[in-house]
Amino acid sequence: MVNVIQQLFNGLVGGGFLALLALGLAVIFGMLRVVNFAHGAFYMLGAFGAYLLLTEAGVNFWLALLVVPAALAVVGMALERAFVHRLTQLDPLYNFLLTFGITLILQDLIKVRYGNQSQPYSRPALLDGSVNLGLFQYPSYQVFVLGFAIVLCLLVWLLLTRTRVGMIVRAATERPELTRSLGVDVGRWVTPVFGFGIGLAALAGVLAAPMRAVHPMMGSDLIITVFAVVVIGGLGSIFGSVVAGFGIGMAQAVGNLYVPALSQTLVFILMAVVLLWRPTGLFGREGVLT
Amino acid sequence: MLTIESLSAGYGEAQVLREVSLNVTEGEVVTLVGRNGAGKTTLLRCLMGLHRQQTGRIEFLGRDLGRIPTHHRARSGLGWVPDDRGIYATLSVTEHLTLARPTGPDPWPLSRIYDTFPVLHERRRFPGTRLSGGEQQMLAMARVLRMGARMLVCDEPTEGLAPLLVQRIGDIIRDVKAHGHTVLLVEQNVHFAASVADRHYLLAEGGIAEELDNTEVRRRESELLAYLGI
Ligand SMILES: Nc1ncnc2c1ncn2[C@@H]1O[C@H](COP(=O)(O)OP(=O)(O)OP(=O)(O)O)[C@@H](O)[C@H]1O
Ligand SMILES: [Mg+2]
């Protein structure tokens, strides 16, 4: 029993990463109608960014947690201005070609320097120990990651539901044309929203650096699961992405315990079941965010 | 206030509007009647810059709208009330009223909106799509008044509403006109049209076939209804 609970806890921590990534994908899809296949690459760049700052400039984890997502958000905005915004008038196939192409380029750029190897990144000193959770000891860093992910998801939720920008993003996601006809300059928010989604991915990457292998392929391994999460939660549904992120994280962890052979396929079985039952995903409504 | 000259538009090969010309003077209520599929909605979408016009010129408040983007047209005083009412599921009633920033000389304050439409105040925390059809129609009109629209562009506001609500919409339009707003109204219900409007344009075969006043509309009501297929 303790074993199961501990495994569920592992699942929640893993689910935090899934939720942060799915959240970014969902806002980007809502505002741009672009499925960003490069999302995993920015998660990977987040981790490498932290690693690079530490090894080259001695910048610690906490500073990296601020600087790396901000810097990559700017890179994301530049990419949006240069390429991604052109996708709106094109066949969805180009969406895949462009963002997948960006993924390959970014991965190979990292490989040129670091090869196909994992780089070590140690936990911040403050969180090196472990905490007693009553039933078992658990690494402090993992507890921090879970709490941080939950707080971030809540903040994004508040941003979307309680602020003017959030209202514009919701309106533009649901009815872009109507929103413009009401005097809202929707185009002005597209680039910042893309940058924001990328920033969230990068942040997840920095958080991953001390507990997962910092590896050029770390993003592409994870992103397939993230897509399943987004589909299960309901494409474009912020709430669904977060719930499905944590849910799938736990399902995978428990699955690992009982049917390890299925660990890679479980998420897709779940996805198929959910889609048969609810074709728009658990929380998805046609063209609706939140 | 609004002048449309030789406006043509269509979808691919299909020509829907051919050289349509009409004008609306400040303070007037003008309707545009026409059969299903005549191109009324297409004309309004061209006016809002949501559909590409092939030829022609649209001038609003002395300004050529030519290449002006949609959101600037709205800010210059065009208040579009779309045929599906354009109500969001993810925005509350209050958010519908505050999404657009007020512009122009005469945006209605929220207090005035709520005085005029008490039901919107009662339902202010409801998601827009939880309102009834009539309430959604009022919200769509209230929203552009709040925004400060000088000309309301309403696409079949009475469609699918019960007679009592149709009357209510009529009262609102007369009230809005009394306060100096202009209205361009797409309407199939010619009886209703004659009760609120000053003039009427009949859109047929892609162009303005006739311009009618209220007495003519009343005199020819059954003929017009037959033509419109109602
Ligand atoms: N997106 C579209 N693609 C192709 N054809 C269209 C499209 N929208 C409308 N049409 C066609 O253009 C013509 C005019 O349509 P429009 O909606 O402007 O008519 P309407 O006068 O508003 O009709 P209704 O009274 O039914 O609202 C119709 O024949 C319609 O089939
Ligand atoms: Mg129509």
Side-chain angles (χ1 to χ4, degrees):
Chain A
M1 192 59 206
V2 171
N3 223 345
V4 175
I5 296 175
Q6 184 160 5
Q7 198 60 5
L8 278 175
F9 212 80
N10 291 342
L12 275 177
V13 175
F17 290 102
L18 296 178
L20 286 177
L21 287 165
L23 202 54
L25 270 182
V27 279
I28 289 175
F29 178 77
M31 199 75 174
L32 288 87
R33 291 290 185 275
V34 163
V35 178
N36 180 30
F37 289 92
H39 218 64
F42 281 96
Y43 164 79
M44 178 271 291
L45 284 186
F48 267 96
Y51 173 76
L52 213 85
L53 280 184
L54 182 69
T55 50
E56 305 290 324
V59 173
N60 71 19
F61 171 79
W62 301 105
L63 199 54
L65 199 55
L66 274 177
V67 173
V68 173
L72 286 173
V74 173
V75 172
M77 289 197 277
L79 270 180
E80 197 281 331
R81 277 292 81 205
F83 305 110
V84 179
H85 81 103
R86 291 167 211 269
L87 293 173
T88 43
Q89 296 100 6
L90 297 175
D91 187 281
L93 181 62
Y94 290 92
N95 173 176
F96 173 76
L97 286 176
L98 175 72
T99 56
F100 191 61
I102 291 175
T103 306
L104 295 181
I105 292 171
L106 292 176
Q107 279 173 359
D108 283 359
L109 281 177
I110 296 295
K111 279 188 199 162
V112 166
R113 169 115 190 240
Y114 297 100
N116 228 336
Q117 265 163 7
S118 297
Q119 309 297 323
Y121 191 97
S122 46
R123 293 176 197 167
L126 195 63
L127 297 170
D128 209 17
S130 63
V131 280
N132 190 349
L133 292 181
L135 293 171
F136 47 82
Q137 289 284 117
Y138 208 74
S140 323
Y141 183 75
Q142 263 82 334
V143 175
F144 160 77
V145 166
L146 177 58
F148 196 77
I150 291 174
V151 169
L152 265 177
C153 290
L154 270 175
L155 283 178
V156 174
W157 175 255
L158 288 176
L159 184 72
L160 276 167
T161 55
R162 298 289 147 82
T163 67
R164 189 173 166 78
V165 182
M167 174 167 74
I168 290 172
V169 170
R170 273 179 290 143
T173 298
E174 195 178 335
R175 301 281 301 265
E177 209 169 59
L178 173 70
T179 306
R180 285 192 285 129
S181 84
L182 293 169
V184 178
D185 186 357
V186 172
R188 206 180 111 197
W189 296 103
V190 166
T191 311
V193 165
F194 192 80
F196 179 76
I198 295 293
L200 277 180
L203 194 85
V206 179
L207 282 176
M211 60 177 276
R212 294 183 167 174
V214 179
H215 187 278
M217 301 306 284
M218 65 190 283
S220 50
D221 294 344
L222 191 63
I223 201 66
I224 303 180
T225 310
V226 174
F227 279 119
V229 165
V230 171
V231 171
I232 290 171
L235 204 55
S237 166
I238 299 298
F239 185 71
S241 302
V242 174
V243 172
F246 284 104
I248 294 299
M250 288 195 290
Q252 271 186 329
V254 175
N256 263 339
L257 198 63
Y258 291 112
V259 270
L262 275 184
S263 67
Q264 296 301 310
T265 31
L266 182 67
V267 58
F268 300 105
I269 296 172
L270 282 172
M271 181 172 88
V273 170
V274 167
L275 285 185
L276 283 174
W277 170 47
R278 288 185 67 114
T280 52
L282 288 181
F283 299 94
R285 282 174 288 173
E286 205 65 45
V288 167
L289 201 70
T290 71
Chain B
M1 184 177 215
L2 173 72
T3 311
I4 296 178
E5 272 172 32
S6 311
L7 174 71
S8 301
Y11 299 88
E13 297 284 286
Q15 190 80 11
V16 175
L17 300 172
R18 288 186 203 90
E19 312 252 311
V20 173
S21 300
L22 58 83
N23 73 290
V24 181
T25 315
E26 182 145 21
E28 259 190 323
V29 177
V30 172
T31 67
L32 189 64
V33 285
R35 277 185 180 166
N36 285 335
K40 307 177 295 294
T41 299
T42 306
L43 187 137
L44 299 193
R45 291 176 60 83
C46 287
L47 175 58
M48 292 312 297
L50 295 171
H51 188 75
R52 212 178 61 82
Q53 65 193 71
Q54 289 155 349
T55 62
R57 196 180 136 79
I58 303 179
E59 202 179 283
F60 179 64
L61 290 169
R63 196 154 71 124
D64 180 3
L65 292 185
R67 303 227 151 269
I68 310 239
T70 298
H71 61 276
H72 283 304
R73 297 188 193 210
R75 289 179 196 170
S76 76
L78 282 171
W80 188 42
V81 181
D83 49 359
D84 67 356
R85 302 180 183 126
I87 298 301
Y88 299 95
T90 48
L91 265 60
S92 71
V93 168
T94 309
E95 286 177 323
H96 276 81
L97 295 169
T98 51
L99 177 63
R101 280 195 193 282
T103 52
D106 184 27
W108 288 27
L110 264 188
S111 57
R112 181 171 168 201
I113 296 279
Y114 286 144
D115 283 345
T116 313
F117 307 96
V119 67
L120 296 184
H121 185 255
E122 273 165 44
R123 307 235 192 283
R124 63 191 178 281
R125 289 186 227 289
F126 280 47
T129 43
R130 288 266 305 278
L131 302 188
S132 71
E135 290 163 354
Q136 291 190 13
Q137 189 62 51
M138 286 179 218
L139 179 56
M141 296 176 79
R143 165 172 70 185
V144 294
L145 290 168
R146 166 73 191 125
M147 181 175 88
R150 299 177 63 183
M151 181 165 138
L152 270 64
V153 182
C154 306
D155 199 344
E156 307 205 42
T158 62
E159 198 194 6
L161 296 186
L164 214 62
L165 285 166
V166 174
Q167 257 180 39
R168 178 85 177 90
I169 301 293
D171 292 340
I172 296 166
I173 292 175
R174 278 183 290 267
D175 186 46
V176 158
K177 175 187 156 90
H179 283 99
H181 293 275
T182 311
V183 182
L184 176 59
L185 182 68
V186 165
E187 207 30 88
Q188 298 271 47
N189 180 343
V190 285
H191 183 74
F192 173 79
S195 77
V196 295
D198 304 301
R199 287 190 297 126
H200 312 268
Y201 285 106
L202 182 65
L203 188 66
E205 313 290 323
I208 300 293
E210 278 187 90
E211 188 186 333
L212 308 161
D213 63 18
N214 280 331
T215 40
E216 266 176 293
V217 167
R218 291 213 178 86
R219 189 167 55 79
R220 291 167 55 191
E221 191 174 315
S222 50
E223 175 206 336
L224 286 170
L225 283 177
Y227 170 76
L228 295 172
I230 299 166

